[in-house]
Amino acid sequence: MYTFLICLFALILSYFVYGKFLERIIGVDETAKTPAYELEDGVDYVPMNKYRALLVHFLNIAGLGPIFGAIQGALFGPSAFLWIVLGTIFAGGVHDFFEGAMSVRNDGLSMPGIISKYLGDRVRKFFAVLIIITCILVASVFASGSADLLSSLTNIDIHIWLVAIFIYFLIATLFPVDKIIGKIYPIFGALFFIMAVLLISALILNPNYSLPEFTTAGLYLTDKAIFPFLFVTIACGAISGFHASQAPIVARCVKNEKDMHMVFYGAMVIEGILALIWATIAMSFFHGQPQLASIYGSSPSIAVKEMSIALIGTVGLVLAIIGVVICPITSGDTSLRSARITIADELGLNQDKLKTRLKISIPLFLVSFGLTFIDFSLVWRYFAWSQLIVAIAVLLAATVYLIDNKKHFIVTFAPAIFCTVVAIAYILQASEGLRLDPFISNVISVIVALALSVYFILKYRKQPNTTT
C-alpha cells in the first residue's frame, strides 16, 4: 500500500508544484479576452465556468483510456506505477497544459492549425489526417468496449448496442456544446472519478487483497519488454496525443486564462490518478495470475465488471456500467465532435448550420462504425502508437512556442525526445511493425531521436520568432 500512497501523493503534489511552475513559464493574462467571448457562436464557442470545464475536459480525455490501458499495463507489474506518475507529471501534464494554452491563445484553433503555425505548413495535412484518424479510432474502440459490456449484461446482440451508441454519437456531436456536453457531462465526469475512489477504498479495506509494492515486481510475467511496450500500452494515463484533439473543444469555452492550469493540467492529474487506481486494482485482483495475462490483447470490459462486482457487489455493477459504458460513450462522441471541428477548420467551413455539420459528420460515423468489426486489440495498438506521434508533434510545437517567446523550452522538449525514442523503438520491434531485434531497434531509436533533437535545436534556435 505504501507504493500506491506515495504515487498518489506525488500526483496530487504535482498539480500544486509542477503545474504552477508551467503556468509561471507561460504567463497568464487575466485581462485577455478568450475565444469563448471573442468568437461566441452558441455552438462550439460558449463560455463555461472552470469547474464545469474541468469535468467536461476530464471526461473527454478519459473514457476507457485510463481504465483499459492501465489494466493491460498492469501486466508489467508495479513498474507501471512509475510510468503513470512520471508520465503524468512531466509528459502528459505538460502536453495537455500547453496544448490547451496554445489553443486558447489562438482562437480555439484545432491542433493541426497549432502544429502548422509553429512547425510549418508542410506538416499540417499529415497531422490533420492523423488526428482525424485518431478520433475515429477512439470512437470505435470506446463504442466497442461499451457495447461488449452491455451485451454481456443484457444478452442483447452487441451490434444492436453498437447501432444505438452511434445514433447517440451523432446526436451529441451535432448539438451545441452547452446543450448536452455542458449540462450532463460534468455529472458523469464526477461519477467516473467517484467510482474509482470507491473501488480502491473497498480494495484497501478488504483483507483478501494486498496492494502491490515495488518489491513484488517479480510476480508479474509478460513476453513484452517494459521498454517500449509499457509506454505505449499505458497511453491516456501518462501521455496521449488524443488529448490534443479534445483540448480545442474546451479551449473554446474557457472564460479566463487563469483557468487553464486547473482545466488542462488538472484534468491530466485526475486521469493519472484514475490510471493509478485501475492499475492497482488489476494487479491486486489478479495478482500476476494467468487471468491477468489473458486480459492482455483482449477487451478488458468483462474484467472491469468482475472486479467491480467482487469489490462492492451490486453497487459495483452499477459503477461498472457508468465507468465502462456511459463515460466512454461520452468520450466517443466528443472525439467525433473534435474530428468534425478539425475538418471544418481545415476546409474553412462555418459550423453554424446543421446541414454543414451533418455533411462532415456522417462519413466520419460510417468509417468509425466499420472499424468496430476489427479486432479490439489491433485497433487499440494502432490507436496507442498514432496518438503518441501526435503528442510528439504537439510537444515540439510547444517547444517552438516557448523558444519564440524566449521561455524555458526544456520542459516540453525533453518529453518530446523521450516519446520519440519510444515511438521509433515500438514501430521497429512490434508485431504490427518491423519486428526487429529489441536491442537493435532500441539503439536505432536513440540515435535517430538524438539526431532529430540536434537538427531541431539548430533549426529553431537560429530562427527566433519563427511564427511571425
Side-chain angles (χ1 to χ4, degrees):
M1 189 167 74
Y2 293 110
T3 298
F4 173 78
L5 293 177
I6 291 171
C7 292
L8 178 63
F9 177 74
L11 287 171
I12 295 173
L13 185 64
S14 72
Y15 172 79
F16 298 99
V17 178
Y18 200 66
K20 281 294 183 181
F21 171 68
L22 297 176
E23 186 181 54
R24 287 195 297 272
I25 288 178
I26 201 172
V28 171
D29 183 0
E30 296 186 26
T31 64
K33 197 171 184 179
T34 61
Y37 294 109
E38 188 75 27
L39 302 170
E40 187 172 0
D41 63 0
V43 178
D44 294 315
Y45 292 89
V46 180
M48 195 180 293
N49 74 66
K50 62 182 179 181
Y51 300 106
R52 188 177 295 273
L54 167 66
L55 289 172
V56 168
H57 187 55
F58 162 64
L59 190 60
N60 288 356
I61 66 175
L64 291 178
I67 299 179
F68 281 20
I71 291 175
Q72 294 187 51
L75 190 63
F76 294 90
S79 57
F81 292 155
L82 285 176
W83 172 229
I84 291 172
V85 173
L86 297 178
T88 295
I89 296 172
F90 299 109
V94 175
H95 171 274
D96 287 20
F97 176 73
F98 279 97
E99 76 189 8
M102 288 189 295
S103 185
V104 169
R105 291 181 173 180
N106 286 276
D107 296 333
L109 193 61
S110 55
M111 281 305 113
I114 295 291
I115 293 169
S116 163
K117 179 175 181 178
Y118 296 104
L119 298 183
D121 198 54
R122 285 181 296 179
V123 299
R124 180 173 188 141
K125 287 184 173 57
F126 171 78
F127 281 103
V129 172
L130 190 58
I131 286 173
I132 292 167
I133 290 173
T134 298
C135 290
I136 291 172
L137 288 174
V138 166
S140 177
V141 168
F142 285 9
S144 296
S146 300
D148 187 29
L149 181 56
L150 284 170
S151 180
S152 71
L153 292 172
T154 62
N155 291 322
I156 296 175
D157 186 79
I158 187 173
H159 299 103
I160 295 176
W161 283 116
L162 282 171
V163 171
I165 290 170
F166 271 89
I167 290 173
Y168 169 77
F169 278 179
L170 185 61
I171 295 171
T173 300
L174 296 174
F175 267 58
V177 70
D178 60 328
K179 300 305 180 185
I180 297 179
I181 294 174
K183 281 187 168 60
I184 64 173
Y185 283 25
I187 298 172
F188 288 142
L191 289 174
F192 196 24
F193 187 70
I194 291 171
M195 170 194 71
V197 172
L198 288 176
L199 287 172
I200 194 66
S201 299
L203 183 72
I204 292 173
L205 296 174
N206 193 322
N208 296 321
Y209 300 101
S210 59
L211 272 67
E213 306 287 356
F214 285 122
T215 53
T216 61
L219 294 177
Y220 300 84
L221 301 174
T222 173
D223 59 347
K224 303 285 185 180
I226 289 178
F227 185 87
F229 293 98
L230 168 63
F231 302 94
V232 176
T233 302
I234 300 180
C236 290
I239 181 171
S240 173
F242 167 63
H243 298 183
S245 69
Q246 302 301 293
I249 294 176
V250 176
R252 299 179 181 201
C253 302
V254 169
K255 285 185 171 183
N256 195 295
E257 283 196 4
K258 67 181 180 180
D259 300 341
M260 297 188 304
H261 168 243
M262 172 183 283
V263 173
F264 297 111
Y265 195 88
M268 184 61 227
V269 169
I270 296 174
E271 186 180 58
I273 293 173
L274 202 66
L276 177 69
I277 288 173
W278 276 104
T280 302
I281 292 172
M283 291 181 210
S284 301
F285 192 84
F286 295 107
H287 206 60
Q289 297 174 14
Q291 297 99 308
L292 180 56
S294 68
I295 298 173
Y296 193 87
S298 62
S299 174
S301 59
I302 306 303
V304 172
K305 182 185 74 171
E306 291 178 2
M307 290 185 285
S308 300
I309 294 174
L311 290 173
I312 46 180
T314 305
V315 176
L317 179 60
V318 175
L319 293 176
I321 293 173
I322 294 173
V324 190
V325 176
I326 297 177
C327 293
I329 289 174
T330 57
S331 291
D333 75 64
T334 54
S335 69
L336 290 173
R337 185 185 193 92
S338 177
R340 170 179 66 77
I341 289 173
T342 301
I343 292 173
D345 283 356
E346 291 304 298
L347 299 179
L349 298 176
N350 190 299
Q351 294 288 279
D352 292 347
K353 294 182 179 179
L354 177 61
K355 183 179 179 181
T356 305
R357 301 201 294 273
L358 274 170
K359 285 181 179 179
I360 299 173
S361 300
I362 290 177
L364 291 172
F365 280 71
L366 292 176
V367 173
S368 184
F369 182 78
L371 287 173
T372 61
F373 294 92
I374 299 176
D375 177 62
F376 171 89
S377 61
L378 181 63
V379 175
W380 181 269
R381 290 198 298 272
Y382 277 113
F383 154 67
W385 186 78
S386 66
Q387 61 76 31
L388 189 58
I389 300 299
V390 174
I392 293 168
V394 172
L395 287 169
L396 291 177
T399 301
V400 176
Y401 173 84
L402 292 175
I403 292 173
D404 285 353
N405 289 278
K406 297 180 173 57
K407 305 287 187 179
H408 298 294
F409 64 88
I410 195 67
V411 293
T412 54
F413 189 57
I417 295 306
F418 176 77
C419 290
T420 300
V421 175
V422 172
I424 295 173
Y426 181 85
I427 204 63
L428 288 178
Q429 61 184 279
S431 58
E432 59 271 21
L434 299 180
R435 304 186 182 186
L436 296 182
D437 176 78
F439 177 77
I440 294 175
S441 64
N442 290 342
V443 171
I444 292 174
S445 64
V446 171
I447 293 173
V448 173
L450 287 176
L452 289 174
S453 65
V454 171
Y455 167 78
F456 185 88
I457 291 296
L458 290 176
K459 178 179 179 180
Y460 288 101
R461 286 301 296 274
K462 288 181 179 180
Q463 299 179 37
N465 301 318
T466 53
T467 59
T468 59

